[in-house]
Amino acid sequence: MSGVPRAAVPVAVLHERVLTWFDAQKRALPWRDGRTDAWGVLVSEVMLQQTPVVRVEPVWRAWMERWPTPAALAAEAPGEVVRAWGRLGYPRRALRLREAAVAVVRDHGGRVPDTEDALRGLPGVGAYTAAAVAAFAHGRRTVVVDTNVRRVLARAVQGRAQAAPALTAAETRVAAATVPADAATSVRWNVAVMELGAVLCRARGPRCAQCPLVDVCAWVAAGSPADDGPPRRGQAWHGTDRQIRGALVQVLRETSRSVPREHLVGRALESARLDPARHREQTDRCLAGLVEDGLVEPVRGGRFRLPA
């Protein structure tokens, strides 16, 4: 295929090595138990975006017990959905998931659609999530490309320490070229290579000695060279808008009543351990952004609450 770098090892060998490793070493995750329906898979994929499995699993279990179907979530108040999201981060995902549930009920008879095109039509569902749900819930042959998949293929096939900062067309072609033709095997491959990236072929501290590809990996064969791309800065947290937004939402999660602005801002800054003199203007701006995003609702008397 034009534009696809030649792998150091036949793709069939990659398949055999990774699938054998996965069958023996895969983590027992509840959304992979064979009993979870497409709704449970969709919920897991949305929750897992930029969030580790260890934080997602207890929230996913509680969520599925409370809202086991799209119809159940669609009937819930947005504020309760944000409250149940807890500390997973990026709480807009909670609202978008509820909006997706509404669309599933309204447009698909309450059943999560089984094609990538239809899935991409749901609020908050992008190319990756659509491919993942089509594959893992419906057994479709798709190209599932997340950060973990990109890193494994960058190392094993292309000999690079890290994938590009953003998904490129070349990376997508490489990923597509490695997906088995058989639908059932392609589903196993997609989840297996993702698992390999999450467990062994990690961004920092890769466990190469335990990797089934160690003797055929192009990156290892090249001497495991350092990343030659642009410097990757770690994500700051303290004093960022993201921290302050999270603190504001958490104050409202902890009560069923509306909260006066001064109390809300004061509690948020106190919990974030930020100086009110330095961060008050920033906090006011973050609160306005939360209102605009639909995550916080103003009510009479200068008070705020989670959306009703």
Side-chain angles (χ1 to χ4, degrees):
M1 182 181 296
S2 177
V4 177
R6 183 179 298 276
V9 63
V11 171
V13 175
L14 294 178
H15 292 165
E16 190 275 332
R17 296 283 190 89
V18 174
L19 291 174
T20 299
W21 170 84
F22 179 72
D23 289 342
Q25 302 295 331
K26 61 186 176 184
R27 292 172 292 179
L29 302 177
W31 44 87
R32 293 182 187 164
D33 64 5
R35 300 187 301 271
T36 300
D37 64 8
W39 170 241
V41 173
L42 174 58
V43 172
S44 74
E45 289 297 338
V46 173
M47 288 185 172
L48 287 164
Q49 294 167 10
Q50 304 182 65
T51 310
V53 165
V54 68
R55 290 176 56 199
V56 167
E57 186 170 348
V59 179
W60 181 90
R61 289 183 183 278
W63 188 285
M64 293 306 298
E65 182 175 350
R66 185 173 182 180
W67 299 303
T69 65
L73 183 63
E76 185 60 88
E80 284 304 305
V81 174
V82 173
R83 182 173 284 110
W85 195 255
R87 295 182 178 273
L88 286 184
Y90 304 102
R92 287 183 67 183
R93 290 181 294 168
L95 292 182
R96 297 294 274 173
L97 189 50
R98 180 184 174 276
E99 292 168 11
V102 171
V104 168
V105 172
R106 182 188 64 229
D107 302 330
H108 301 281
R111 298 177 62 87
V112 175
D114 61 359
T115 67
E116 289 183 77
D117 285 346
L119 285 160
R120 280 196 296 268
L122 300 177
V125 174
Y128 162 77
T129 303
V133 174
F136 305 145
H138 298 296
R140 299 273 185 167
R141 183 186 184 276
T142 67
V143 182
V144 180
V145 187
D146 77 340
T147 301
N148 292 312
V149 173
R150 294 175 62 213
R151 185 167 57 253
V152 170
L153 296 180
R155 289 173 177 168
V157 176
Q158 299 173 302
R160 303 201 323 262
Q162 301 290 348
L167 179 64
T168 66
E171 286 180 310
T172 301
R173 289 194 295 270
V174 170
T178 65
V179 176
D182 171 69
T185 309
S186 75
V187 172
R188 289 176 59 227
W189 166 258
N190 279 327
V191 70
V193 71
M194 190 183 305
E195 183 85 337
L196 184 67
V199 175
L200 297 183
C201 194
R202 303 179 303 183
R204 294 181 178 85
R207 299 174 178 176
C208 295
Q210 302 171 41
C211 180
L213 300 178
V214 63
D215 62 328
V216 296
C217 175
W219 181 59
V220 172
S224 304
D227 184 23
D228 60 0
R232 297 171 186 257
R233 292 176 291 182
Q235 288 186 331
W237 172 252
H238 190 68
T240 61
D241 283 6
R242 186 182 168 204
Q243 183 195 19
I244 293 173
R245 283 168 61 99
L248 288 164
V249 171
Q250 186 59 30
V251 172
L252 297 177
R253 280 198 189 103
E254 293 170 353
T255 179
S256 59
R257 300 179 179 180
S258 62
V259 177
R261 174 189 285 269
E262 289 304 314
H263 179 73
L264 173 58
V265 169
R267 283 282 306 280
L269 288 170
E270 180 182 5
S271 67
R273 299 183 180 180
L274 295 173
D275 180 1
R278 292 181 54 193
H279 294 278
R280 175 58 193 251
E281 182 177 345
Q282 181 186 7
T283 305
D284 287 340
R285 174 168 50 79
C286 287
L287 180 57
L290 289 168
V291 171
E292 184 176 353
D293 291 341
L295 287 162
V296 172
E297 185 175 84
V299 294
R300 288 185 300 177
R303 302 173 72 92
F304 295 84
R305 66 184 182 190
L306 294 180

